[in-house]
Amino acid sequence: MSKIFAVTSGKGGVGKSTVSAGLSLSLSSLGYKVLLVDMDEGLRCLDLMLGIDNQVVLDLSDILQGREINDAVYKVRENLFLVPAPQKLGMIDAFALANFAGEAKDLYDIVIFDFPAGIDFSLYTSLPKDTLFLTVAFPDAVTVRDAAVVSGLLAERGCRSRLILNRYDYKISKRKIYKSIDDIIDEAQLQLIGIIPQSNELQMLSLGKLPKKNSKSLKALNRISKRLMGQQILLPKINKL
């Protein structure tokens, strides 16, 4: 059965699009046919991250205005495809998006929507009711508090959500406000789906460079991917991430 995920964050700059790209790469490497949809109108970046920016002619707005899905779907690698965001604001219609999401779900094993940061949730309810929202945060007071705001707003709309902690550094985190991961979970009011360690390799995705297969960040993404697909994968010891 196909699955739909929507990646979001309260605060910008937490690596939300990097996580979206990373999860897409991970899930596709596990053999799933993945469609990644960039929802950041006017500020699209996933085409650059994934190295297909020179190929882009059509985008999501063209599909929503009546073009066939495949007209604006670009192959990134085996099993991974991308729909770029519109270059102009105001091009995504909620009703048309709902139709697109339903059609995409029939064509792909996994569809991942990478939404802009912030709390404009006007398009969220256009997605199918079984969509799982993934809220990305740093393990710091500001972004965890913002994640709690996102959690509350998603709950009000009946949206299921989980927490991804990005750029976790054990040595730094243990010296700050949160004494444990459980404290972060309690503050964010979200169930944890995974932790991605601080990684220079993963940050290089913004330059179109993929992480090495044995990198800690890719291993973390693979653990999250398997959990998202229903496997019971234990979290490693925090100091071993």
Side-chain angles (χ1 to χ4, degrees):
M1 184 176 179
S2 299
K3 292 181 179 290
I4 293 188
F5 304 111
V7 184
T8 184
S9 67
K11 188 72 73 175
V14 297
K16 175 186 57 60
S17 292
T18 301
V19 170
S20 295
L23 285 175
S24 299
L25 288 163
S26 172
L27 287 161
S28 65
S29 72
L30 295 174
Y32 298 102
K33 187 179 180 183
V34 180
L35 179 66
L36 177 59
V37 184
D38 193 338
M39 295 292 295
D40 203 350
E41 292 179 288
L43 295 172
R44 71 186 186 202
C45 65
L46 290 171
D47 56 324
L48 276 169
M49 280 188 180
L50 297 172
I52 63 161
D53 51 300
N54 291 330
Q55 302 177 37
V56 174
V57 177
L58 303 178
D59 57 45
L60 178 60
S61 65
D62 295 291
I63 297 174
L64 301 184
Q65 291 170 10
R67 298 290 292 258
E68 296 293 328
I69 282 185
N70 288 337
D71 290 345
V73 168
Y74 299 88
K75 185 174 182 178
V76 176
R77 56 183 292 177
E78 189 68 27
N79 292 326
L80 177 55
F81 304 85
L82 173 69
V83 175
Q87 290 184 305
K88 297 180 180 179
L89 296 174
M91 301 296 291
I92 301 180
D93 173 76
F95 180 76
L97 178 64
N99 289 334
F100 163 72
E103 188 175 351
K105 190 177 181 182
D106 291 337
L107 296 173
Y108 295 86
D109 299 321
I110 298 166
V111 185
I112 299 177
F113 289 87
D114 180 39
F115 279 93
I119 54 175
D120 178 3
F121 292 178
S122 57
L123 294 172
Y124 284 23
T125 51
S126 296
L127 302 186
K129 291 184 178 180
D130 59 351
T131 298
L132 179 62
F133 286 78
L134 306 173
T135 301
V136 180
F138 288 158
D140 64 42
V142 173
T143 65
V144 170
R145 182 180 63 185
D146 290 341
V149 173
V150 170
S151 169
L153 292 172
L154 287 171
E156 288 176 6
R157 288 160 175 77
C159 300
R160 299 182 303 133
S161 55
R162 297 290 184 269
L163 175 67
I164 293 178
L165 282 179
N166 190 29
R167 298 184 190 173
Y168 183 83
D169 188 316
Y170 174 73
K171 292 180 180 179
I172 294 176
S173 295
K174 70 178 182 178
R175 299 175 184 173
K176 294 191 175 181
I177 187 171
Y178 299 110
K179 294 180 180 179
S180 69
I181 295 296
D182 288 337
D183 287 344
I184 296 175
I185 295 170
D186 291 343
E187 178 70 20
Q189 301 174 43
L190 281 169
Q191 183 178 334
L192 183 70
I193 192 73
I195 302 173
I196 302 171
Q198 173 67 33
S199 166
N200 292 331
E201 279 195 344
L202 197 56
Q203 291 178 47
M204 293 295 282
L205 264 179
S206 62
L207 300 176
K209 296 184 178 181
L210 304 181
K212 296 178 181 178
K213 290 184 178 181
N214 61 349
S215 70
K216 288 186 175 182
S217 57
L218 189 56
K219 289 179 180 178
L221 288 164
N222 286 341
R223 287 193 293 269
I224 295 172
S225 296
K226 290 175 182 178
R227 291 187 194 110
L228 290 173
M229 300 310 292
Q231 294 187 42
Q232 299 296 318
I233 306 295
L234 294 177
L235 184 71
K237 291 182 179 180
I238 297 301
N239 61 345
K240 299 295 185 181
L241 280 173

